């Protein structure tokens, strides 16, 4: 009997009628409990839940979705899940979706192929999802021409604005405004930039913010060095910058590269921050680097995920219009910035 029961549970064949018989209630009452409705007494609810546990009952989500027209699931398509930014994106969206009673169905796209919004949508449209979020670490070739699939509200995680989709992102330009303002307040004008990979949307907006901040001060930008987000590439950039006697500060496009810059400068005897101030982006070193002293900016990735999920689910509402949502960062002041030397 136990083997037969286990086989039926594995096959998902335990019915509401069986739960009702064991609990001594009607099938309608079991349905109310399974669907989380409140018009059931707590005593009866406990009895039904106990019978469900005893029998191994699982609600029929396919049937429920047919009745309600919803799957209570948001799709997430992204590239290269191992990158820090993408891992943080998943965490933020999972947290937001969980708070809203939704699951997240995730597909990792092949990052060896060019980013295509149409292909990401095609992959996700066949899955049981109510809405779609596509994470863009680079600009897709079909960005301007992309049209979301009818009935599948789509949000793009990017700084670029789109005519037909809501876009949500941390303010990658604003983080530079914040950091450059902080450096300027400490007298820094000769600020060098260590950029991320050329394909990175985030790095390009951070670089533009750096350039615009220098231009506002009447300072010509020295062409940035480029890394690949790793601390080793930051070290190489720092070693190349070490001979630059005019610079008083370095702005690296992420914390790992900033850490590499700090180590390279110190290895040649240039003190941080007494000789050169260094700042980064992401506040990603907490918990991995002891007594982290890097001044940086922190993005609210849960707020970013929440906005993406909320607007993805709202997108099918009558009168909804696409918009650009930017989540402001927070400056985290530590010990890597000092007054510029005169």
């Amino acid at each position: 009997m136990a083997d037969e029961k286990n086989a039926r549970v594995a096959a998902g064949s335990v019915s509401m009628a069986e739960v009702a018989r064991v609990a001594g209630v009607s099938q309608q009452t079991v349905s109310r409990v399974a669907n989380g409705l409140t018009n059931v007494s707590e005593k009866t609810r406990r009895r039904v839940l106990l019978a469900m546990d005893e029998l191994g009952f699982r609600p029929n989500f396919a049937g429920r979705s047919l009745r309600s027209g919803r799957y209570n699931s948001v799709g997430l398509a992204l590239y290269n899940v191992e990158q820090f930014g993408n891992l943080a994106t998943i965490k933020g969206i999972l947290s937001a979706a969980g708070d809203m009673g939704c699951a997240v169905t995730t597909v990792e796209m092949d990052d060896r192929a060019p980013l295509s919004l149409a292909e990401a949508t095609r992959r996700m449209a066949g899955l049981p999802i109510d809405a779609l979020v596509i994470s863009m670490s680079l600009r897709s070739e079909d960005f301007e021409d992309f049209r979301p699939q009818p009935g599948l509200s789509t949000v793009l995680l990017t700084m670029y604005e789109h005519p037909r989709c809501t876009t949500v992102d941390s303010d990658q330009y604003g983080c530079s405004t914040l950091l450059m303002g902080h450096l300027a307040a400490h007298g820094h004008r000769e600020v060098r930039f260590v950029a991320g990979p050329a394909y990175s949307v985030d790095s390009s907006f951070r670089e533009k913010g750096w350039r615009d901040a220098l231009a506002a001060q009447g300072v010509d930008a020295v062409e940035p060095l480029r890394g690949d987000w790793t601390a080793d590439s930051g070290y190489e950039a720092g070693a190349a910058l070490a001979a630059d006697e005019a610079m008083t500060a370095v702005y690296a496009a992420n914390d790992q590269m900033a850490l590499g810059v700090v180590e390279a400068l110190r290895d040649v005897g240039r003190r941080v921050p007494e000789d050169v101030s260094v700042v980064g982006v992401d506040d990603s070193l907490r918990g991995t680097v002891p007594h982290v002293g890097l001044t940086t900016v922190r993005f609210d990735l849960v707020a970013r995920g929440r906005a993406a999920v909320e607007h993805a689910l709202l997108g099918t509402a009558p009168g909804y219009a696409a918009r650009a949502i930017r989540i402001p960062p927070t400056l985290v002041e530590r010990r890597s910035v000092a007054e510029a030397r005169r």
Side-chain angles (χ1 to χ4, degrees):
M1 288 294 291
D3 289 343
E4 179 183 351
K5 174 187 170 184
N6 290 338
R8 290 172 63 214
V9 169
S13 61
V14 177
S15 68
M16 283 193 182
E18 291 173 274
V19 175
R21 178 179 55 79
V22 172
V25 298
S26 68
Q27 288 189 51
Q28 186 179 26
T29 297
V30 175
S31 177
R32 288 170 179 161
V33 173
N35 287 284
L37 301 180
T38 58
N39 54 341
V40 180
S41 72
E42 187 58 33
K43 181 178 179 181
T44 300
R45 184 183 304 281
R46 286 198 298 268
R47 192 161 71 247
V48 171
L49 291 175
L50 185 63
M52 287 179 173
D53 288 343
E54 179 183 333
L55 295 172
F57 171 81
R58 295 175 59 194
N60 185 335
F61 287 102
R64 181 187 296 180
S65 67
L66 286 174
R67 292 190 297 273
S68 67
R70 296 186 62 82
Y71 297 103
N72 290 326
S73 178
V74 175
L76 172 62
L78 76 171
Y79 292 73
N80 193 352
V81 72
E82 296 178 350
Q83 285 186 352
F84 169 79
N86 283 339
L87 287 172
T89 293
I90 294 173
K91 180 178 180 181
I93 287 178
L94 285 174
S95 174
D99 289 346
M100 299 167 69
C102 287
V104 177
T105 300
T106 303
V107 168
E108 183 180 19
M109 305 295 292
D110 186 353
D111 63 0
R112 294 169 297 181
L115 171 60
S116 167
L117 296 177
E119 176 62 15
T121 301
R122 187 194 66 77
R123 288 277 305 276
M124 299 299 298
L127 300 174
I129 57 175
D130 300 310
L132 174 60
V133 177
I134 303 177
S135 179
M136 293 176 53
S137 58
L138 61 159
R139 187 181 174 96
S140 67
E141 295 179 350
D142 60 348
F143 183 81
E144 295 293 344
D145 298 329
F146 172 70
R147 292 181 179 273
Q149 180 168 310
L152 185 61
S153 172
T154 302
V155 167
L156 306 177
L157 289 179
T158 182
M159 279 288 292
Y160 293 113
E161 295 186 25
H162 192 276
R164 291 171 291 276
C165 296
T166 287
T167 60
V168 177
D169 206 352
S170 303
D171 192 345
Q172 308 295 338
Y173 180 93
C175 77
S176 293
T177 302
L178 197 59
L179 285 167
M180 292 298 289
H182 180 65
L183 290 171
H186 287 78
H188 294 281
R189 290 169 53 84
E190 295 294 334
V191 182
R192 307 296 182 251
F193 185 67
V194 179
Y199 63 77
S200 169
V201 173
D202 292 351
S203 180
S204 67
F205 275 95
R206 292 170 193 177
E207 180 177 337
K208 187 176 189 308
W210 164 76
R211 289 183 182 276
D212 289 351
L214 288 180
Q217 298 180 61
V219 178
D220 293 331
V222 173
E223 283 304 302
L225 299 175
R226 193 170 298 282
D228 61 6
W229 298 129
T230 65
D232 283 343
S233 70
Y235 188 95
E236 292 173 5
L241 288 170
D244 184 343
E245 293 294 337
M247 74 168 183
T248 63
V250 178
Y251 168 20
N254 78 334
D255 286 356
Q256 282 80 5
M257 292 193 300
L259 182 64
V261 168
V262 170
E263 292 302 312
L265 292 175
R266 287 175 173 166
D267 280 353
V268 297
R270 300 198 72 176
R271 299 170 300 166
V272 177
E274 293 85 355
D275 298 326
V276 182
S277 294
V278 179
V279 296
V281 178
D282 285 335
D283 196 26
S284 61
L285 301 179
R286 290 178 301 160
T288 58
V289 175
H291 306 293
V292 58
L294 183 67
T295 291
T296 184
V297 291
R298 179 183 302 146
F299 294 123
D300 188 340
L301 297 171
V302 172
R304 178 176 181 251
R306 182 177 299 280
V309 172
E310 286 178 350
H311 283 272
L313 294 174
L314 285 171
T316 55
Y320 180 86
R323 63 205 70 181
I325 299 167
R326 304 294 173 256
I327 311 297
T330 301
L331 180 68
V332 182
E333 295 184 55
R334 295 197 178 100
R335 304 183 304 276
S336 64
V337 174
E339 294 299 316
R341 66 183 189 279
R342 303 300 180 186

